[in-house]
Amino acid sequence: MTLTADSDARTDLGLAWDHRFAALGPDFFTELRPTPLPSPHWVGTSPSVAQLLGLDEAALHSDEALQAFTGNRLLAGSRPLASVYSGHQFGVWAGQLGDGRAILLGETASGWEVQLKGAGRTPYSRMGDGRAVLRSSIREFLCSEAMHGLGVPTSRALCITGSPGPVRREEIETAAVVTRVARSFVRFGHFEHFAANGQEAALQTLADYVIDRYYPECRDGTGLAGNPYSALLQAVSERTARLMAQWQAVGFCHGVMNTDNMSILGLTIDYGPFQFLDAFVPGHVCNHSDSQGRYAYNRQPNVAYWNLFCLAQALLPLIGDQDLAKQALESYKTVFPEAFMVQMRAKLGLVEASDGDGALIDGILLLLAQNGVDYPIFWRRLSHAVGTQDMEPVRDLFADRAGLDQWLLLYSEHSMHMDLAHQADLMLKTNPKFVLRNHLGEQAIRAAKLGDFGELQTLQRLLERPFDEHPGHDAYAAFPPDWASSIEISCSS
Ligand code: AMP
Ligand code: MG
């Protein structure tokens, strides 16, 4: 058993590196090594993420990969670091945070940042142990891949490794490391950090880096009075608005929308106490630690705007004009409702916008809430019903049948010019059969704790292609069992 990271890295697993974040300089991070874990083993791998990185099957499943992705051996060419950021947590300025348990191995030559989450303490760990437990790592791994399967922008997950190494939470659990991948892990909180510390040069370096790498169109000088920083704020506002529209449409609650968990690329990142809605309860709070309900499902779009406001304040020294910053931020208020309508029209299989779409959508959301209808099952049943023209399976979901029938009448008027088979086909490609409900994740976790990763693999396979029927797996698309409501997911991870 090796307990010190092997300093003479012998393998690169075929990965080539180009460390662009690291080139920003020491104001932005601390270089360090992951802390090894004893006796690592595989928990899960994602072949599609391996393909993204150009990692072949043999390399992915090698012992070198197991050691490297647990943090026990450095990959040749990697340059591990933990980045510094700050942020607002639950509406309050929290000061410096930083990668407390994430270690960036670097950026591949093909432009993917690769991070180990749970690979030991960093200078930003504060009181934390730098570790992640198996259950939360499985949730992050599965949800990253599930969101990607749903077409929602997200960080990806290459693999999870586990170790018998003990980790103390409410009880003693075991350690795991998720290797996650994104074009960039830069957060709103990175900008807030340098703004709060009055480090304007670093703030500009970071903004220029993000623009040049990820938003080159903001340089072209045509948008927002030729100010690249307000153009950046506008672009991030628009991406975030589209992401929120997708979260709301798919029924995803993030749970901890602190500014340090907001991606500058508009990706879903930092999966913690997230949840996909079972019954449609607009005020649902998925994070057991969120006693005020700040991050309730129906508050997410407003919270995102609040977070963008924090980003705007951080960028203000660069933008140099408050009105310009406000104008950039305002784009959120037009893009979010538009993007939400696009998402909801797609769920209804309506190809063209028409008058009264808003009322149609508001109408069904109100009925779903009043009747406490299961959100994914409603949309999937409606998709089938449009094709078969048998509405009974949909009507069965509602206590208020008269209310639903009225709505169905309105819906059929909206669908009048559509070919129903085509409409149903579109809907079945928009409304997933499989989502990562809490109880499904929990089942995979319980099995994994006993050393059985079959459940995790099955779930992963279903969630990678959530719109396919997957015959023989209807149990994974069924109503949640009664015990699902007693699952408590908190920030403890
Ligand atoms: P979160 O809201 O869970 O994404 O994390 C907020 C902050 O706490 C970030 O700076 C994390 O890196 C840090 N953090 C969370 N858990 C741990 C841990 N177990 N050890 C060290 N830092 C942690
Ligand atoms: Mg975080």
Side-chain angles (χ1 to χ4, degrees), residues 138 441-456:
I138 288 177
E442 189 63 25
Q443 278 166 1
I445 289 164
R446 287 181 189 175
K449 281 184 171 173
L450 300 173
D452 172 5
F453 306 120
E455 196 61 25
L456 187 154

Side-chain angles (χ1 to χ4, degrees), residues 85 187 260-261 270:
Y85 54 81
R187 299 140 193 276
D260 53 299
N261 290 337
D270 280 20

Side-chain angles (χ1 to χ4, degrees), residues 85 89 98 117 180 187 256 258 260-262 269-270:
Y85 54 81
Q89 296 187 314
K117 181 170 176 179
R180 54 185 193 179
R187 299 140 193 276
V256 203
N258 294 333
D260 53 299
N261 290 337
M262 296 293 292
I269 55 168
D270 280 20

Side-chain angles (χ1 to χ4, degrees), residues 14-67:
L15 292 172
W17 300 89
D18 184 358
H19 300 295
R20 283 171 272 202
F21 184 84
L24 294 180
D27 279 349
F28 296 86
F29 53 80
T30 304
E31 297 195 68
L32 79 178
R33 285 171 160 278
T35 310
L37 280 166
S39 311
H41 59 82
W42 289 112
V43 175
T45 56
S46 167
S48 67
V49 180
Q51 206 171 25
L52 212 61
L53 297 176
L55 203 62
D56 68 43
E57 280 275 313
L60 174 62
H61 295 114
S62 64
D63 189 58
E64 285 84 356
L66 175 64
Q67 298 298 338

Side-chain angles (χ1 to χ4, degrees), residues 83-138:
S83 75
V84 64
Y85 54 81
S86 295
H88 285 82
Q89 296 187 314
F90 292 91
V92 179
W93 176 244
Q96 182 180 307
L97 301 165
D99 293 324
R101 55 171 170 175
I103 295 179
L104 183 69
L105 294 182
E107 182 176 334
T108 65
S110 53
W112 293 101
E113 289 191 347
V114 181
Q115 265 195 357
L116 303 184
K117 181 170 176 179
R121 300 194 83 236
T122 77
Y124 316 111
S125 298
R126 298 173 293 151
M127 305 300 281
D129 57 8
R131 293 300 181 193
V133 295
L134 181 64
R135 68 181 150 81
S136 63
S137 304
I138 288 177

